[in-house]
Amino acid sequence: MNGSTLKLRTLVIASMLGLGVTLAACEKKEESPIEKVTESVKDGLDMRENEKMKDAGENAADAFKDAGEAIEEKAEEAAE
């Protein structure tokens, strides 16, 4: 592994960690069971306010989760 690849990998990991800390700092109030059911039904019927933006956010969150898992797997492989 050359130096530039290592620097890029370090930069990517640091960026992911920074983004994770930023997202964790955003506190969301706890929803009541009725609000959760209502939101789930509206989501299933694509009737939520700002539906496209919420779907894009959910897709981005899933992508970051998948990327984090892939980074962990590669880090474990590299450590072996």
Side-chain angles (χ1 to χ4, degrees):
M1 191 181 296
N2 63 27
S4 63
T5 304
L6 186 58
K7 288 179 184 179
L8 179 61
R9 180 177 294 198
T10 303
L11 178 63
V12 169
I13 291 172
S15 297
M16 295 287 288
L17 290 174
L19 183 60
V21 169
T22 302
L23 291 175
C26 298
E27 187 175 332
K28 185 177 178 182
K29 70 173 184 104
E30 188 65 31
E31 294 179 331
S32 71
I34 298 293
E35 290 172 328
K36 288 179 182 179
V37 169
T38 302
E39 185 72 11
S40 295
V41 170
K42 285 183 177 181
D43 182 22
L45 298 174
D46 290 334
M47 295 175 57
R48 297 183 295 178
E49 290 181 34
N50 304 311
E51 180 69 31
K52 289 182 182 180
M53 185 170 46
K54 288 182 179 181
D55 284 344
E58 291 165 355
N59 292 342
D62 290 342
F64 277 114
K65 180 181 174 190
D66 293 344
E69 290 172 357
I71 289 171
E72 287 178 2
E73 288 176 12
K74 292 296 181 183
E76 289 174 3
E77 288 176 11
E80 293 177 351

